[in-house]
Amino acid sequence: MDYLEIEGSQKILGEVAISGAKNAALPLLTLTLLSRRPVKIDNVPNVADVRTLLQLLENLGAKQSFIKNSATVDTSDVNSTFANYDIVRKMRASILTLGPLLTRFGHCEVSLPGGCAIGQRPIDLHLKALEMMGADIDIKQGYVIASAPNGLNGANIVFDKITVTGSENIIMAAALAHGTTTLSNVAKEPEVVQLCEVLNKSGTEIKGIGSAELEIKGSNGKLLDIPDFTVIPDRIEAGTYLCAGAITNSEITITNVIPEHLKALISKLISMGFEILKTKNSITIKPCAKILPTNIETLEYPGFPTDMQAQFMALCTQANGTSVIDERLFENRFMHVSELSRMGANIKLTSHTATIYAPTKLTGADVMATDLRASSALVLAALVAEGTTRIHRIYHLDRGYENIERKLSSLGVKIKRLSE
Ligand code: EPZ
């Protein structure tokens, strides 16, 4: 199994280009199930989650190719609607095949994704919404057995909680439904917006894009002419590299970004004393004399993203004072705390609140990655720790960060990928 070896106490410098957004690419890949024509998607990040989902689409009978960040998917010959446990357990976002398969074929069997390190991750809201659209849903031996032999019907749906993939599943289901669907309390993440924009360009009439209320006119079962398109930049990868600049108190520039998508975390970095310069598609962070503590509460977009919570916790260990982080979305998203503490961080936990007493001197150690974003927090801590850090089980990291060693080395980081 691979591990990363990182030399600490580094100043970094330079420019890094951000890849396409994993969490935008995944629903956009399952969207191809609604297309009558092959779809070419550019700026697709070459990460494990994307490769796994392309494999799942191929297992369903689709033809796919993925060369130099460009994926072409042709689902005209899809002949199976069975998404098996083996693939879904590796990549929970495979649940994003549920809405498209059901609305196109009238039936599907998709393995329950199961929980993961950060929480139980239920999909009750996805299933409830599909039932309101007329689907029969059964759970048998760990599989969702869904059927709607006459197709799905438009419905007026209010989500009890804001759910990103729940919103995406139902938006795609509604696109081929009979009649109009209204969605209230729908997620507003940039990846949900791009999904709606691509559907709009495919002839689906969607009103309210970017707001919490959507109205979607279904095609009555007709497949769509989905145009070729380019995936938006990854706002979480971008935020992670900004934190690399912040934690080493260095000047770095990230390019191929949409600064608007990072508003909440840029404002946090400014409140911690950093200077941030923005152009249309780049952000530069400049060092600050004294890193100030901060308080963070994770919220749905446009609030502070939960996917940046672990990275900011690593940064807060270097602030001059006590910070408090309140994780509001997931019940167990503090797996990085014990590993950061082994490197010298002083963090106290209550149920969903972490108090970070700082500044603390971090020292290199052998640490264990537990989930995608926790792993990136350990990389950040390793950059500023004294001595060498080895991060094990980095398959978690490979799920969502493209070429992380190459990108960090280009900033001057001494980092190696080795095998145990
Ligand atoms: C998406 O997960 C992202 N994944 C996650 O990113 C991200 O952390 C999360 O949204 C929140 O922003 C992808 O987009 C592939 P939710 P998702 O449904 O859709 C509860 C990463 O690091 N809920 O918005 O699974 C749920 O338990 C990953 O890239 C229900 O109760 O998250 C959670 O508390 C990690 N019932 C809250 O809603 C449901 O049916 C938000 O979950 C669905 C969700």
Side-chain angles (χ1 to χ4, degrees):
M1 237 194 274
D2 289 359
Y3 66 94
L4 287 181
E5 187 173 273
I6 300 174
E7 292 310 319
S9 321
Q10 312 230 16
K11 281 280 172 219
I12 60 177
L13 187 65
E15 198 170 282
V16 65
I18 297 303
S19 301
K22 161 182 90 83
N23 289 351
L26 296 174
L28 290 166
L29 285 167
T30 59
L31 179 68
T32 61
L33 287 164
L34 305 188
S35 180
R36 76 166 100 249
R37 60 184 288 278
V39 188
K40 181 169 173 291
I41 308 174
D42 288 328
N43 200 34
V44 178
N46 188 356
V47 293
D49 275 8
V50 164
R51 296 191 295 270
T52 303
L53 188 56
L54 283 167
Q55 186 53 56
L56 171 55
L57 290 171
E58 194 168 276
N59 292 358
L60 296 173
K63 289 192 223 38
Q64 59 89 9
S65 69
F66 186 32
I67 302 152
K68 281 200 178 355
N69 298 111
S70 184
T72 301
V73 184
D74 177 357
T75 64
S76 41
D77 295 337
V78 165
N79 51 22
S80 159
T81 60
F82 176 66
N84 74 30
Y85 173 66
D86 265 359
I87 286 226
V88 177
R89 74 180 165 79
K90 261 197 297 193
M91 215 277 295
R92 354 182 23 269
S94 314
I95 196 63
L96 285 163
T97 54
L98 177 63
L101 286 173
L102 183 58
T103 202
R104 173 171 169 183
F105 294 103
H107 60 85
C108 63
E109 288 185 31
V110 178
S111 167
L112 281 168
C116 72
I118 66 176
Q120 192 232 336
R121 311 292 295 274
I123 58 164
D124 56 305
L125 302 176
H126 303 229
L127 303 181
K128 203 170 118 195
L130 289 173
E131 284 176 327
M132 289 181 72
M133 297 175 78
D136 278 327
I137 302 277
D138 213 358
I139 307 283
K140 265 203 201 113
Q141 289 156 329
Y143 279 81
V144 176
I145 319 280
S147 76
N150 304 316
L152 293 172
N153 306 314
N156 299 321
I157 296 163
V158 182
F159 284 107
D160 295 346
K161 288 173 90 165
I162 295 174
T163 160
V164 174
T165 50
S167 300
E168 291 162 345
N169 246 333
I170 304 310
I171 289 166
M172 293 190 277
L176 257 54
H178 300 278
T180 298
T181 298
T182 61
L183 296 181
S184 302
N185 204 24
V186 70
K188 299 183 279 190
E189 273 67 4
E191 45 271 22
V192 179
V193 170
Q194 181 169 32
L195 179 68
C196 292
E197 286 167 346
V198 171
L199 273 168
N200 244 353
K201 291 197 188 99
S202 315
T204 304
E205 209 184 301
I206 302 185
K207 289 192 188 119
I209 296 180
S211 81
E213 312 283 326
L214 290 178
E215 185 184 281
I216 303 164
K217 216 152 160 250
S219 70
N220 297 324
K222 243 165 55 313
L223 289 178
L224 307 172
D225 274 322
I226 299 181
D228 297 346
F229 58 86
T230 299
V231 177
I232 55 173
D234 192 319
R235 60 195 170 94
I236 305 301
E237 185 199 19
T240 305
Y241 283 100
L242 284 180
C243 283
I247 201 167
T248 55
N249 214 6
S250 318
E251 174 169 335
I252 67 160
T253 295
I254 57 173
T255 58
N256 296 358
V257 287
I258 302 176
E260 174 67 21
H261 291 169
L262 287 92
K263 257 166 94 173
L265 59 102
I266 287 173
S267 128
K268 270 296 161 217
L269 288 171
I270 292 170
S271 72
M272 293 177 82
F274 295 97
E275 191 190 343
I276 301 277
L277 305 176
K278 291 181 285 190
T279 69
K280 197 161 128 324
N281 60 5
S282 76
I283 302 172
T284 298
I285 182 166
K286 287 179 163 296
C288 69
K290 195 164 169 252
I291 302 176
L292 302 173
T294 187
N295 293 333
I296 289 173
E297 182 179 340
T298 62
L299 286 172
E300 295 85 0
Y301 191 88
F304 188 93
T306 174
D307 291 351
M308 283 300 305
Q309 178 256 104
Q311 299 91 314
F312 264 75
M313 189 179 292
L315 174 57
C316 287
T317 66
Q318 304 307 301
N320 290 274
T322 303
S323 301
V324 177
I325 295 184
D326 195 353
E327 172 52 62
R328 285 273 162 211
L329 271 77
F330 291 109
E331 65 271 26
N332 188 34
R333 200 165 198 174
F334 286 139
M335 303 286 278
H336 40 286
V337 169
S338 51
E339 297 305 286
L340 288 173
S341 305
R342 293 186 55 247
M343 296 175 76
N346 181 1
I347 303 168
K348 295 280 169 293
L349 278 186
T350 60
S351 57
H352 53 79
T353 305
T355 304
I356 302 103
Y357 301 96
T360 44
K361 193 172 169 31
L362 301 182
T363 52
D366 278 276
V367 288
M368 193 79 77
T370 51
D371 60 87
L372 170 56
R373 305 305 174 184
S375 332
S376 65
L378 298 177
V379 171
L380 297 176
L383 296 180
V384 76
E386 193 186 286
T388 306
T389 298
R390 275 174 292 280
I391 303 173
H392 302 274
R393 297 192 185 171
I394 53 162
Y395 56 84
H396 290 290
L397 207 55
D398 294 336
R399 287 188 41 220
Y401 287 94
E402 185 179 44
N403 295 330
I404 188 160
E405 307 96 273
R406 189 164 58 74
K407 292 189 180 186
L408 284 175
S409 308
S410 75
L411 291 172
V413 172
K414 294 186 200 63
I415 179 170
K416 280 189 271 189
R417 177 183 287 255
L418 302 164
S419 278
E420 324 220 40

